[in-house]
Amino acid sequence: MLQLQVIRENKGEISKALQKRNIDASSLLDDILQLDEKRRTTQTQLDATLAESNKLSKEIGMLFKSGKAQEANVLKKKTGTLKEDSKRLGDELNGIAEELQSLLYQIPNIPHESVPAGNTDEDNEEIFKEGDIPTLVDDAQPHWELAKKYDIIDFELGVKIAGAGFPVYKGKGARLQRALISYFLDKNAEAGYTEMQVPHLVNEASGLGTGQLPDKEGQMYHVGGDDLYLIPTAEVPVTNLFRDEILSEKDFPICYTAYTPCFRREAGSYGAHVRGLNRLHQFDKVEIVRVEHPKNSYKALDGMVEHIKNILRELKLPYRILRLCGGDLGFTSALTFDFEVFSTAQDRWLEISSVSNFETYQANRLKLRYKDENGKSQLAHTLNGSALALPRVLAGILENYQTADGIEIPKVLVPYCGFDKID
RNA sequence: GGAGAAAUGGCAGAGUGGUCGAAUGCGGCAGUCUUGAAAACUGUUGAGGGUCACACCUCCGGGGGUUCGAAUCCCUCUUUCUCCGCCA
C-alpha cells in the first residue's frame, strides 16, 4: 500500500510510473486525494467536538466535587448535542476511512525506474544467462514420463488422495526432494540467513500484511471453520513476523530462510503447459526473506540474486534471469527478477525463483518500521525470493540429467541423497 | 472439550468512575564524574492523526454498550495462565 503522504506529494510521478503496468491510475489517485481531504476536514471537526465535550466533562467533574450540582446539571444538558455530533462525525469518519482504505488497496506498487514497460511475459527483459544446455539422448523424455518410468512420482495416486496437483513422491523421488530442501537450507544458512520454522496457516491480518488479501483471496485455500488461510508461500508467515514492529537501525540486515509447503488454488490454470510438476496445488519451497534499511535494499536484492546464481551454478543447471516488465510485475513488487531453468526435454524455460524488492509497500501495510537516527519512525523495506522452488528444480534435474541408463544426481546433492543415480 | 483467573508503555508492575497517556522499578538514550569503562548521580524515553510550529484529538488485547465523563462498570470476541478431560 502506498503512503498517503507520498501520493499527496508525487501524484504526477506515480501516475506516470504506473503506466508501465498499463494502469491509468490518475482518476483513482484523484479520488484518493479528494477523500483524504474530506477525511482530514471531518477529523478536524470531530476533534473540535470532542475537545469541547472533554472540556465540559472536566468542568462538570469539578463542579460536582465542589458541591455545585445544580450548575453541573445545567452543563450536562449542553453535552447532549455534542454527543450526537461526535457520534455522527465519528461514523462519517469511519466510513470515509474505510472507503479510502479500499481505494488504497487498489493501487499497486510503483515500479522501479529500471522496470521495462510491457504487457506480458514476452516483454520481460533477459539480463543474464549461464550454463550449458546438455545434449540429451535421442529418446529424451519430459519429467512426467521419467517419473513414471522410474516410479518416483505418482500423480494418479495423489488424485485419489486429494486431487489433481497433489503429487505423491515415492522412494528416491521423495528422498531427492528432501535432499533438495536440506541443501537449499544449508546454502542459505551459509549465506547468513537464519533458518525459521513457521505456521503453514495464517490469519486474515497476515494475508493483508503481505498483500495476498484482499484482492487475491481466490488464490489461497481458506479454512472456513477457523477462518485461516493455507500459505501460498513462506513469504506470508515470515514477513508477517515483523508486523507491527518497530526495529532499531542496528537490527538490520534481517535475513531469514524457511522451508514450507505452499498451497495455491491456481484457479483457471489448465492445459499442456501445466503438466506434471509444472504447476501444482501443493509444492515445497525454500524461501529467503529480508528486512532492510531503505538505503540498502537494492544492494540486498543484488545480493539475493547472486546467492541464487551460486546455487544454480552448483547444481549445474542452465538458467537465465529476467527483469519483469511492468505488465508482469507482481502487484506489491517494485522490482522483480525471475530465474528460469531450461528444461531440455520440454524445450522450455521453467520459473524456479522470483526475487523481489517491495520497498515500503508491504511495510506500510504491516506497519513495519524502524527508528532513524533522529528517533523518527520510518518504514523499512521488505524483500523476498525463492531459494528455491522445488518442483521445477526437480523437473529440471530429471530432464537435464537423464541418460540412457538412468538419471544422474548433481554432485552437490549426492551427500544429501545417499545415492548418485536413479535407475 | 469443561471449570476458574487474567490481558496496562521495550519488560516487570501499580492504578477499580473525573486534573491518567497512565505511579514505580528495570531497560534504552543523553549528560556529569572517569584516561576509558563500570558504578553512582542528573535529565530524558510509547504509537498514530493533526499543525509551519503549537494547540488539539485517538489509543490501557479487539469490537460494542452504560455515563456529562471509562484503563476502571456491563456485553461480546480473541488470547494467555491454572485445574480436569483428550491427545502426536
Side-chain angles (χ1 to χ4, degrees):
Chain A
M1 191 165 65
L2 300 181
Q3 296 168 84
L4 262 172
Q5 205 193 331
V6 174
I7 297 178
R8 259 182 240 153
E9 287 163 8
N10 311 288
K11 201 198 95 185
E13 290 92 316
I14 293 172
S15 185
K16 195 164 165 232
L18 287 175
Q19 282 171 14
K20 278 195 205 168
R21 291 185 181 266
N22 311 309
I23 291 171
D24 180 10
S26 62
S27 74
L28 189 53
L29 291 170
D30 283 336
D31 289 350
I32 286 173
L33 290 182
Q34 215 175 343
L35 207 53
D36 176 47
E37 190 64 40
K38 200 167 149 201
R39 194 206 99 232
R40 277 184 292 166
T41 54
T42 310
Q43 177 87 60
T44 307
Q45 286 173 34
L46 175 63
D47 285 359
T49 311
L50 288 172
E52 179 69 18
S53 88
N54 284 347
K55 210 175 109 200
L56 279 178
S57 292
K58 265 180 197 164
E59 282 174 32
I60 291 170
M62 308 254 257
L63 288 172
F64 271 123
K65 261 193 181 158
S66 53
K68 298 173 182 162
Q70 225 165 10
E71 287 177 46
N73 283 324
V74 174
L75 286 186
K76 257 196 195 181
K77 292 209 176 87
K78 283 172 72 177
T79 60
T81 53
L82 286 174
K83 233 180 143 178
E84 279 168 33
D85 286 352
S86 60
K87 173 96 175 94
R88 178 178 54 79
L89 287 166
D91 289 347
E92 206 176 305
L93 186 64
N94 285 341
I96 294 168
E98 213 170 286
E99 200 182 330
L100 187 57
Q101 181 81 331
S102 81
L103 290 185
L104 281 169
Y105 276 145
Q106 291 172 36
I107 308 263
N109 203 352
I110 304 163
H112 185 259
E113 56 181 9
S114 70
V115 170
N119 297 313
T120 67
D121 53 7
E122 311 220 324
D123 301 314
N124 293 337
E125 185 189 331
E126 182 178 303
I127 58 163
F128 190 82
K129 196 186 227 173
E130 190 176 41
D132 300 325
I133 291 169
T135 318
L136 298 182
V137 290
D138 288 342
D139 59 342
Q141 292 173 312
H143 68 266
W144 53 89
E145 299 293 348
L146 296 166
K148 197 177 281 178
K149 181 175 170 189
Y150 296 108
D151 195 26
I152 50 174
I153 307 170
D154 195 324
F155 293 99
E156 284 74 31
L157 204 48
V159 170
K160 181 167 90 174
I161 306 305
F166 294 92
V168 173
Y169 300 88
K170 300 165 80 174
K172 283 185 172 176
R175 182 68 186 263
L176 178 54
Q177 179 99 322
R178 180 156 60 88
L180 281 166
I181 293 165
S182 293
Y183 166 69
F184 291 150
L185 284 171
D186 284 356
K187 290 302 288 182
N188 295 343
E190 213 175 276
Y193 293 88
T194 304
E195 184 176 342
M196 305 292 278
Q197 286 196 9
V198 290
H200 300 165
L201 282 87
V202 294
N203 56 26
E204 185 188 17
S206 297
L208 286 168
T210 32
Q212 283 69 29
L213 296 175
D215 37 304
K216 274 162 269 164
E217 178 135 27
Q219 295 293 330
M220 287 192 288
Y221 288 97
H222 182 227
V223 183
D226 295 294
D227 198 17
L228 293 169
Y229 296 88
L230 271 72
I231 57 170
T233 158
E235 162 195 348
V236 180
V238 176
T239 311
N240 270 281
L241 295 173
F242 297 95
R243 176 152 45 85
D244 292 319
E245 293 290 329
I246 300 179
L247 305 167
S248 112
E249 280 191 309
K250 60 175 189 283
D251 293 329
F252 298 123
I254 291 168
C255 307
Y256 282 173
T257 183
Y259 152 71
T260 69
C262 303
F263 303 90
R264 298 186 182 181
R265 294 188 61 230
E266 302 289 2
S269 304
Y270 304 103
H273 58 291
V274 303
R275 275 193 84 170
L277 295 170
N278 290 350
R279 179 158 286 156
L280 300 169
H281 288 307
Q282 178 180 332
F283 64 97
D284 292 305
K285 183 157 62 66
V286 175
E287 187 79 358
I288 50 179
V289 171
R290 295 180 70 145
V291 180
E292 288 284 346
H293 192 287
K295 69 170 193 260
N296 289 329
S297 70
Y298 279 96
K299 216 165 83 189
L301 184 66
D302 290 343
M304 292 162 83
V305 167
E306 282 308 312
H307 174 61
I308 293 163
K309 277 186 186 173
N310 283 331
I311 295 177
L312 289 166
R313 277 180 196 133
E314 280 198 3
L315 288 173
K316 296 197 190 325
L317 288 169
Y319 71 96
R320 65 176 183 178
I321 304 175
L322 304 174
R323 192 200 311 269
L324 295 195
C325 73
D328 209 23
L329 190 64
F331 193 81
T332 52
S333 176
L335 178 60
T336 296
F337 295 108
D338 271 7
F339 281 69
E340 297 186 335
V341 158
F342 190 73
S343 164
T344 314
Q346 290 185 66
D347 191 29
R348 58 183 284 231
W349 293 94
L350 298 174
E351 184 193 331
I352 43 100
S353 178
S354 193
V355 193
S356 304
N357 187 352
F358 303 92
E359 297 192 8
T360 59
Y361 193 89
Q362 288 184 328
N364 193 34
R365 287 195 180 186
L366 292 160
K367 294 197 173 55
L368 163 50
R369 293 153 293 173
Y370 68 95
K371 289 278 188 197
D372 67 14
E373 64 270 25
N374 303 315
K376 277 192 68 181
S377 294
Q378 305 287 352
L379 293 174
H381 281 195
T382 59
L383 305 93
N384 68 52
S386 353
L388 294 164
L390 277 275
R392 295 183 193 149
V393 171
L394 190 59
I397 290 173
L398 296 179
E399 291 172 0
N400 287 331
Y401 277 84
Q402 62 182 302
T403 68
D405 55 343
I407 294 157
E408 289 176 4
I409 300 296
K411 271 207 173 59
V412 287
L413 292 178
V414 173
Y416 289 93
C417 284
F419 52 85
D420 60 7
K421 190 174 259 189
I422 296 172
D423 49 17

